[in-house]
Amino acid sequence: MLLLQTSIPVPKDIPLPFPAPEWFLVTILIISFLVHIVFVNLMLGGSLLTLWCQIKGIKNKEYDTLAHEIAKTITVNKSLAVVMGIAPLLTINTLYTVFFYTANSLTGLMWIAIIPLVTVAFLLTYLHKYTWNTFSNNKPIHILIIAFACIIFMIIPLVFFTNVNLMLFPEKWGTIKGFMSALLLPNVFPRYLHFIFASLAVTGLFLFWYVGRKNYDFESIFNQLTRYEVKKKAYSLVLAASVSQFIIGPIVLLTLPSKGLGWNLILVIFTGAIISLPAIFYMYKAIVGKPENINKNFKIVVICLTITVVFMGSGRHIYRANALNPHIKMISEKTQSFIKESEIARQESAKPQTAVSDKTDSNKGLEIFEQNCAACHAKDEKVVGPPIREMQTIYSNNPSGLKAWIKAPGKKREGYPQMPAFANKLSDSELNQLSNYILTIK
Amino acid sequence: MDIPLFHLDWLNNRMLIAIIATLHALINHSLAVGFMPLVTWLENKGVVNSNPHEITDPKWDKMVYKMMWTAFIITTTIGAMTGVGIWFSVSLVSPNSIASLIRVFYFAWFVEWLVFVTEVVLILIYFLTWKNANKTLKAKTRHIKFGWYLSVFSWVTMAIIVSILGFMMDPGNWNNEQSLINGFTNPLYLPQLLYRTPLAMVLAGTLGLFLVSVFTNKGDTIRIKAFRYIGKWILCWLPFAVAGAVYYFNVIPKTMLANLQVAIGTQSFQQWYDIMWKVIVGSSIIILITAIITVWKPQIMKSYFLAITLVFALGFMGLFERVREFIRKPYIISEYMYSNLLREEDYPLYKKDGILKWATYNSTPTVTNENKVEAGRNVFMLACSRCHTTQGINSITYVFDRMYGNTGKPFKEDMMKSYIKNMHKSREYMPPFPGNDLELDALVAYIKQLQVTNEVLEGAQEVGVAINKDQSVEAFKSQFANKETQNESQNNLVKK
């Protein structure tokens, strides 16, 4: 029973309409997110591959050169990864405001730590790229630089996954105490692994294309390695990573809490998986086939895998929608009823209260004093400003002098803060009433 | 909107945004908006001034390339990430305001993103093709053209974001019409742009001078030539920057200008106000002197003097940003949402029922004698914690003690209550206290406890949240069920 004690919150939403139809925002979110994630994949996969090649390059110089070639692409892909992340960030903020911001807050320190961490990782990738010759005799140090960048790049996705996972489960929000407890919710790590292998696959495909470009002068860069060898290795990486996804994928699906599962989701995910099969087949054939046939069917491989990725991305959204829609409905009803309550309270408070006009000057003076002055001035003792007795001594029989001071006070003495000016806040007659009142207080 | 509140009890939440945002604005202005046209202009000078048989002066071109290299590294790391950092920090500290703005300005930000993507692609092309472009004159000319495109897009990125900044500060705008065009037509838009554009050019110039002094040796002919060009560049833009600053200050709406005096540096505003003008006048003069020396006597100019000039130039802008951030108080979105993230129009409801009742995340929906201090802590989190800490920067005990004359004596309850109730009238930068009298009692009890215990207020990122039973699914269901039965009984009555 103790476990059941935390209840599920139904917070209010922003009481403003969406800026565009929901289907439009959803489309933007899915597409822009996939573009973003492809560049993130290339950034992460590229860094890991660079590290691996460079370690291998200690014994075989050719791999060091390959590492350098891949490293050059990281700094470009990382810039695009950041800039492409803005559109999905903006859109998820709009569509899932309450859910996303709540997850951000609950994991706040790690969430904001992304900024300095990624900045450091980016600086390390530049340092690594621009010190290739400087450290040519100090390889371990040079490798350490990219290794640090890799570690940071591996941590960041974990923070994102923790967040987008946490936003799906309002029933857990009351139990979360900091990032670590959100990280340990089921499903974070399987999804993370799924992403890491996808990164390797995407990077392999990218490498295959990159070294195969017509205006890429492969032969003048490498002495022993051939295009065929690099391409074959790239394809092997894609193949291994893709096949692994057939094991990791079902684990992700099985560890997903059941609330968002539905036949629509299963259908989309299985269709996506099936579409990747021809790509796997063609890659296998290219790897075991003759060198001159390695480029055959590359386009089909890319197209199939792209479609798979789009299906998986859509599946991700379907799960989110399935999981959150009931809660979204409650939130919107709640928001409506809050707006109504607020409206009623506003109307009640706007009803005219006791008439003001038949008050005497001194009554008005009292009222003005209570509202504007009493917070800082008392009769006999210093509160924030000096007591009224003091004003009466200074300005006895001189209400206009007091009025002038209230309108634009100077700063008089140590230990007292500056008094704000009331020239714009009170009318001339109000100032008269106030000054006269102050001097008549007994 | 109800979000668990992130809170930094030492650094202060606003300070987190301020550090990231100021850093971003400084990098954006000095290394992007102003720097791209400067670098392109200098690259072009290399081509124009080269020998007839050369495409460009190779030594000169190398120097300009190194300047661009610096800009490229910094803008694509710290610059880009602090830009994202503004989003992250604002969504943590001030979720309601940014979420409201996004609902209204989605397409402004979307267009901004498209322009920004273009800018990033152009900077990648411009920087990464630099060396290859030196092979033919045709390629070099095209490369310079890309530099100009990049300059335009850097500027447009800024021109769009300024509309959103201007909108937030423009009183009354929100309640009239919430649209993108509104951001561009508001009275602060043009002045801000007219101030920021030449300022960016001046900042880029001072930074450019410093980088030239780093990348060249004393007495180099290219050093002297570069000093002269950049000095002239600064002399051209400086008058516009100063004029823009004055113009900008003059159009800030009157209500805000009134706030301005109390706002800058809060209590001792006069000192701050003077400091701001001194820094602005002082740094303008230093920049002017530097520019004149680099034009007339470039040989005597020293690196350290250029570094000092750069610091002052950045200070010029930093102070202005600080003022801009302060003058919108007590609002975060003018006349719509207070800086405590509560909407002005919901105040009557909060005054009537209390803020705790309506807050989804708090452990004390109603104040009782037993939970008074805990309730006070919750009120503080909801109503004060966006700007005040309990122990750190701008802490609540510090500001009260300072107001009562730095005596360190225990605060007097009655005085605090009557002050908090009316503070928005004499301290215009403070939003009115939103809660009811019981909550005020609780808040005062909590602050008095803080004064003696030094206890720390932990944010949702550390201790999580308690869920208000009145705002949970259970409460929602029972309300819903009540409505249903009411409807049914009404229907039955009608049938009868």
Side-chain angles (χ1 to χ4, degrees), chain B residues 228-479:
Chain B
R228 284 221 165 104
Y229 277 129
I230 302 175
K232 281 179 196 161
W233 168 278
I234 294 173
L235 287 178
C236 280
W237 288 106
L238 189 61
F240 293 103
V242 174
V246 174
Y247 178 38
Y248 181 31
F249 245 93
N250 281 327
V251 276
I252 287 174
K254 279 235 159 62
T255 49
M256 293 195 158
L257 210 57
N259 280 1
L260 183 67
Q261 303 190 343
V262 254
I264 312 169
T266 328
Q267 300 273 327
S268 47
F269 74 92
Q270 202 60 49
Q271 282 159 305
W272 269 97
Y273 195 74
D274 290 348
I275 287 175
M276 191 191 72
W277 281 108
K278 272 178 198 155
V279 169
I280 288 175
V281 172
S283 44
S284 305
I285 291 171
I286 291 179
I287 296 168
L288 184 69
I289 293 172
T290 306
I292 290 173
I293 295 174
T294 50
V295 172
W296 297 107
K297 282 238 177 266
Q299 305 84 341
I300 65 165
M301 188 42 89
K302 299 271 190 324
S303 307
Y304 69 83
F305 192 72
L306 292 171
I308 293 169
T309 312
L310 180 61
V311 170
F312 270 90
L314 296 177
F316 181 121
M317 185 178 153
L319 263 171
F320 233 99
E321 293 296 317
R322 188 189 152 94
V323 174
R324 188 185 60 72
E325 194 49 42
F326 270 108
I327 52 179
R328 66 160 177 252
K329 288 178 180 180
Y331 292 104
I332 193 145
I333 300 173
S334 197
E335 289 175 12
Y336 174 71
M337 188 180 281
Y338 284 117
S339 43
N340 55 21
L341 305 184
L342 302 173
R343 298 191 314 156
E344 190 172 17
E345 59 183 84
D346 296 333
Y347 259 61
L349 182 63
Y350 295 138
K351 285 272 177 201
K352 191 180 73 154
D353 296 346
I355 40 170
L356 294 176
K357 176 180 185 243
W358 288 103
T360 305
Y361 301 105
N362 88 81
S363 55
T364 55
T366 41
V367 185
T368 61
N369 266 334
E370 290 71 46
N371 72 14
K372 205 168 173 185
V373 171
E374 191 187 343
R377 187 183 300 120
N378 290 331
V379 173
F380 183 89
M381 189 58 118
L382 291 165
C384 321
S385 70
R386 298 305 88 199
C387 310
H388 293 286
T389 64
T390 66
Q391 307 297 339
I393 294 172
N394 204 22
S395 85
I396 196 72
T397 45
Y398 164 74
V399 290
F400 267 112
D401 194 41
R402 185 182 55 184
M403 193 171 80
Y404 294 132
N406 287 318
T407 58
K409 286 183 201 155
F411 302 141
K412 290 180 184 157
E413 262 172 63
D414 293 343
M415 282 184 191
M416 287 173 79
K417 278 183 207 166
S418 69
Y419 172 73
I420 294 174
K421 262 191 162 171
N422 291 305
M423 64 187 169
H424 56 288
K425 287 181 182 134
S426 51
R427 304 277 185 270
E428 287 166 323
Y429 47 86
M430 294 295 294
F433 177 69
N436 59 23
D437 285 350
L438 274 175
E439 289 172 344
L440 180 58
D441 282 355
L443 177 64
V444 168
Y446 172 62
I447 296 174
K448 278 180 68 69
Q449 171 159 319
L450 279 179
Q451 200 186 12
V452 291
T453 60
N454 283 6
E455 64 176 88
V456 170
L457 178 67
E458 288 174 302
Q461 79 276 18
E462 283 164 278
V463 289
V465 279
I467 287 148
N468 181 349
K469 290 263 188 273
D470 295 346
Q471 309 294 336
S472 66
V473 169
E474 292 86 335
F476 180 85
K477 268 182 354 207
S478 64
Q479 265 178 3

Side-chain angles (χ1 to χ4, degrees), chain A residues 11-14 96-106 173, chain B residues 1-6 91-92 94-96 99 341 360-361 382 386 460 465:
Chain A
K12 305 183 283 287
D13 193 6
I14 289 283
Y96 294 102
T97 317
V98 172
F99 303 92
F100 192 62
Y101 285 7
T102 301
N104 291 352
S105 260
L106 289 172
W173 291 348
Chain B
M1 184 172 74
D2 288 312
I3 300 293
L5 286 171
F6 174 88
S91 69
L92 283 176
S94 194
N96 303 44
L341 305 184
T360 305
Y361 301 105
L382 291 165
R386 298 305 88 199
V465 279

Side-chain angles (χ1 to χ4, degrees), chain B residues 45-258:
Chain B
K45 287 287 174 209
V47 176
V48 174
N49 294 340
S50 64
N51 295 323
H53 64 275
E54 285 173 337
I55 290 164
T56 180
D57 176 351
K59 258 184 97 182
W60 175 272
D61 195 68
K62 205 171 173 198
M63 174 196 75
V64 184
Y65 174 81
K66 280 182 180 166
M67 291 168 74
M68 183 61 205
W69 180 83
T70 314
F72 179 77
I73 300 281
I74 296 177
T75 53
T76 59
T77 56
I78 309 173
M81 287 314 294
T82 47
V84 182
I86 294 177
W87 279 90
F88 275 47
S89 59
V90 174
S91 69
L92 283 176
V93 170
S94 194
N96 303 44
S97 67
I98 190 76
S100 303
L101 286 169
I102 288 175
R103 292 274 168 102
V104 174
F105 278 116
Y106 180 83
F107 286 103
W109 261 305
F110 198 82
V111 172
E112 163 91 346
W113 172 67
L114 292 176
V115 177
F116 186 46
V117 171
T118 318
E119 188 190 338
V120 170
V121 170
L122 283 172
I123 198 173
L124 289 170
I125 294 174
Y126 183 63
F127 176 70
L128 296 171
T129 62
W130 191 301
K131 283 182 175 165
N132 272 335
N134 282 352
K135 285 173 189 158
T136 65
L137 186 61
K138 204 177 149 200
K140 189 69 173 168
T141 321
R142 202 177 58 198
H143 186 252
I144 291 170
K145 248 188 213 157
F146 268 108
W148 291 123
Y149 297 150
L150 172 59
S151 307
V152 170
F153 275 93
S154 304
W155 184 82
V156 173
T157 316
M158 182 185 77
I160 295 175
I161 203 74
V162 165
S163 82
I164 298 171
L165 291 177
F167 178 89
M168 288 167 75
M169 288 159 59
D170 186 13
N173 230 339
W174 185 277
N175 299 320
N176 297 335
E177 194 191 342
Q178 303 155 1
S179 74
L180 169 55
I181 295 147
N182 222 279
F184 290 100
T185 55
N186 86 66
L188 284 179
Y189 180 70
L190 209 59
Q192 224 190 124
L193 199 62
L194 286 179
Y195 146 72
R196 283 178 188 276
T197 308
L199 180 72
M201 302 299 167
V202 172
L203 286 176
T206 51
L207 182 71
L209 284 178
F210 176 69
L211 289 180
V212 168
S213 78
V214 172
F215 292 134
T216 58
N217 294 318
K218 234 182 139 186
D220 276 0
T221 46
I222 56 162
R223 180 183 200 148
I224 287 168
K225 230 161 72 181
F227 273 175
R228 284 221 165 104
Y229 277 129
I230 302 175
K232 281 179 196 161
W233 168 278
I234 294 173
L235 287 178
C236 280
W237 288 106
L238 189 61
F240 293 103
V242 174
V246 174
Y247 178 38
Y248 181 31
F249 245 93
N250 281 327
V251 276
I252 287 174
K254 279 235 159 62
T255 49
M256 293 195 158
L257 210 57

Side-chain angles (χ1 to χ4, degrees), chain A residues 288-307:
Chain A
V288 297
K290 289 176 187 152
E292 59 268 28
N293 289 339
I294 188 118
N295 292 323
K296 235 179 164 186
N297 301 318
F298 178 64
K299 272 185 193 154
I300 297 176
V301 170
V302 172
I303 290 168
C304 285
L305 289 182
T306 307
I307 295 173

